[in-house]
Amino acid sequence: MPKLSAPLTDLQPRNAKPKDKPYKLSDGGGLYLLVNPDGAKYWRMSYRFLGKEKLLAFGKYPEVTLAEARQKRLDAKKLINAEIDPSAEKKERRRAAEERASNTFEKIAREWHANRLPTWRESTARDTLRRLEIDIFPAIGSRAIDAITHQEMIATLRKIESRGAHEIAHRIKATCARIFSYANQLGIQNRNPAADLKDVLKPVKAGHFAAIQADDLPVFLNAMDRNDQRLYMPTRIAMRLMLLIFLRTSELIETPWSEIDLEKGEWIVPWHRMKRGKLTVNPDMTDHHVCLSRQALVLLRELHQLTGGSMYLFPNQRDHEKPMSNGAILMALRRMGYQNKMTGHGFRALAMSTIKEHLGYRHEVVDRQLAHAQKDKVAAAYDRATFLEERKKMMQDWADYIDRLASGEPVMVRSLRLA
């Protein structure tokens, strides 16, 4: 019969003194206190599993008390009785904890971002990551994604909201919800604290892009011609083209010269560069005819003298291999005194309302020139077959109308003077 050890008292571990060699104070059931020559004291438990002698470490005394060591012994015995090796179970718990700690929000967010890259425009990918790096990663990026609470998420979003960036706060909330959902799909279970925050942020009032009205055009055109702000000539031409052809800002500034035939006076934007063409589901594969007026063609030929040696109509001033910054038009409008009064998208809104109200063209003709989505394929085919010639006439009438507003003179092609 094995020798039975009397259980330890609370005083024995406390009063145990070091000796020349390590020694043990047994508590029974395999549990003992190992006292080293340097005075350090460690809880250990010896046990047998599948015929092998094994050892468990329960921590250092007095950080782990006698009562706590006994509870650890009891937990180990339960595992052994259930035919589970306590050592293997402990290693698995440590591995799971390390994996959990390594699955930080930032790590998962960057993985999600990389996974989405093929479906995004370059600007969308850049802006999404930049916003996470500025507003989210400093706050919760290093936290295990399954440990982030609703309170942490609310505090992070309200900090963004507190500087008046209400719309950004809502957008980031939606982005974070998608990241948490992505983690769940990978098997990293979490409560997705961003998905439930429907009412904690202040609502964003729906609004329209700032745009001047037709009556404001003479003053606006005069300001462009005077060029008191000494804007670069390509920037001025870009704004005038925005007014004449009302492409989306990105569609204009990212245009390569290869899309334009100056001899024929044709400009066709391939479908994959259009907003609807970039959709991942049911993209619109319709090339867009810009329909150039005489005035627009004059501007393009003038621009070709300035940037024709570059890939893009509007190359970036610092790196000609890239197009003009997406904020260049907004910056120019701001310098002209039109901040919060006019935007790049405002040129499209101005054209839509003015052409219908002052030139009498049907909504669907203007809408097709704006390259808005068609409700069905039959309608889209009909639009392409019927409206192209009407659109060409409309765009010339629009350019002539702008000239009349600006000068009151007979219709003529007015080229921007070089400054």
Side-chain angles (χ1 to χ4, degrees):
M1 253 181 98
K3 182 180 178 182
L4 296 176
S5 301
L8 294 173
T9 65
D10 287 330
L11 287 176
Q12 284 176 290
R14 188 186 313 166
N15 295 334
K17 303 299 181 185
K19 298 180 181 179
D20 293 339
K21 295 182 179 180
Y23 68 95
K24 304 175 183 178
L25 293 177
S26 178
D27 189 60
L31 178 65
Y32 62 87
L33 184 71
L34 178 66
V35 183
N36 283 341
D38 61 1
K41 305 171 184 178
Y42 299 95
W43 292 110
R44 298 287 187 262
M45 177 183 168
S46 60
Y47 67 100
R48 294 184 66 82
F49 189 81
L50 298 180
K52 293 183 179 180
E53 192 74 26
K54 310 197 78 171
L55 188 67
L56 275 176
F58 288 160
K60 189 176 181 180
Y61 179 87
E63 286 85 353
V64 177
T65 66
L66 174 59
E68 290 169 337
R70 286 171 173 168
Q71 182 60 52
K72 290 176 180 288
R73 177 182 59 192
L74 178 61
D75 294 338
K77 294 276 189 184
K78 289 180 179 178
L79 289 173
I80 294 169
N81 291 336
E83 298 183 351
I84 298 172
D85 184 354
S87 292
E89 195 272 344
K90 183 178 180 180
K91 289 178 182 178
E92 175 58 25
R93 277 191 287 111
R94 182 182 296 128
R95 185 204 62 77
E98 290 173 351
E99 181 180 358
R100 174 173 174 263
S102 70
N103 287 325
T104 64
F105 183 89
E106 180 172 351
K107 175 190 172 184
I108 301 302
R110 289 187 182 278
E111 183 180 320
W112 167 81
H113 182 269
N115 198 50
R116 298 295 303 168
L117 282 178
T119 66
W120 280 340
R121 293 174 52 186
E122 182 181 348
S123 58
T124 301
R126 181 184 62 249
D127 293 344
T128 300
L129 183 58
R130 179 174 175 273
R131 190 51 56 196
L132 287 168
E133 290 175 339
I134 291 174
D135 289 318
I136 300 300
F137 292 166
I140 61 173
S142 61
R143 298 271 287 133
I145 197 167
D146 63 350
I148 297 171
T149 65
H150 285 75
Q151 289 71 26
E152 287 177 290
M153 202 71 236
I154 292 169
T156 301
L157 293 171
R158 282 184 172 167
K159 184 176 180 180
I160 302 169
E161 191 180 54
S162 67
R163 65 173 189 260
H166 301 287
E167 185 173 350
I168 289 176
H170 280 269
R171 288 182 180 180
I172 289 182
K173 179 179 77 70
T175 297
C176 289
R178 295 181 68 184
I179 293 168
F180 283 113
S181 175
Y182 174 76
N184 275 321
Q185 293 172 57
L186 293 177
I188 306 170
Q189 298 299 321
N190 66 85
R191 292 168 289 178
N192 198 339
D196 297 335
L197 307 182
K198 301 185 186 301
D199 300 311
V200 298
L201 295 178
K202 296 177 182 177
V204 177
K205 294 182 179 179
H208 300 283
F209 291 98
I212 60 174
Q213 302 300 312
D215 292 344
D216 302 317
L217 263 172
V219 175
F220 180 77
L221 293 169
N222 184 259
M224 278 205 297
D225 281 342
R226 286 200 323 269
N227 193 27
D228 293 337
Q229 295 74 30
R230 302 193 63 78
L231 301 173
Y232 286 110
M233 190 63 182
T235 305
R236 296 168 62 202
I237 292 178
M239 286 199 295
R240 186 65 74 96
L241 285 174
M242 291 282 289
L243 183 62
L244 287 173
I245 62 178
F246 36 93
L247 280 173
R248 295 176 178 89
T249 304
S250 61
E251 292 164 358
L252 175 68
I253 64 177
E254 294 173 6
T255 297
W257 279 109
S258 60
E259 290 180 5
I260 300 174
D261 188 330
L262 292 177
E263 294 299 320
K264 295 181 180 179
E266 291 182 352
W267 182 350
I268 300 176
V269 183
W271 64 268
H272 58 80
R273 272 213 319 114
M274 301 299 292
K275 179 180 179 181
R276 298 289 303 175
K278 294 178 180 178
L279 296 176
T280 54
V281 179
N282 296 325
D284 184 349
M285 298 184 183
T286 307
D287 293 340
H288 181 63
H289 290 256
V290 176
C291 299
L292 295 172
S293 61
R294 294 189 302 273
Q295 291 89 329
L297 192 55
V298 166
L299 286 174
L300 286 171
R301 287 170 176 159
E302 188 173 318
L303 179 65
H304 193 265
Q305 296 176 14
L306 301 172
T307 68
S310 301
M311 175 182 177
Y312 296 102
L313 274 66
F314 302 100
N316 191 291
Q317 292 179 28
R318 297 178 180 176
D319 184 356
H320 286 191
E321 298 299 315
K322 297 180 180 180
M324 174 190 289
S325 165
N326 203 38
I329 300 297
L330 273 179
M331 181 61 69
L333 290 168
R334 187 178 305 153
R335 290 175 60 184
M336 290 172 60
Y338 281 86
Q339 184 174 4
N340 299 324
K341 298 178 184 177
M342 188 60 169
T343 61
H345 196 280
F347 288 107
R348 292 165 61 81
L350 170 67
M352 169 64 88
S353 60
T354 309
I355 290 175
K356 289 196 301 181
E357 295 174 10
H358 294 259
L359 301 185
Y361 280 88
R362 293 171 294 152
H363 174 87
E364 53 265 36
V365 180
V366 189
D367 203 50
R368 185 62 194 135
Q369 187 59 38
L370 287 165
H372 283 162
Q374 303 303 296
K375 293 183 178 180
D376 57 66
K377 293 183 179 180
V378 174
Y382 180 79
D383 287 354
R384 289 196 298 275
T386 307
F387 294 159
L388 186 56
E389 292 305 316
E390 192 172 357
R391 282 162 49 203
K392 290 179 180 178
K393 182 178 185 303
M394 177 187 72
M395 296 300 278
Q396 187 59 58
D397 287 347
W398 170 239
D400 295 342
Y401 174 80
I402 291 171
D403 280 345
R404 289 195 298 271
L405 282 179
S407 65
E409 299 174 0
V411 175
M412 59 181 292
V413 176
R414 298 174 66 237
S415 173
L416 287 171
R417 63 181 183 279
L418 291 171

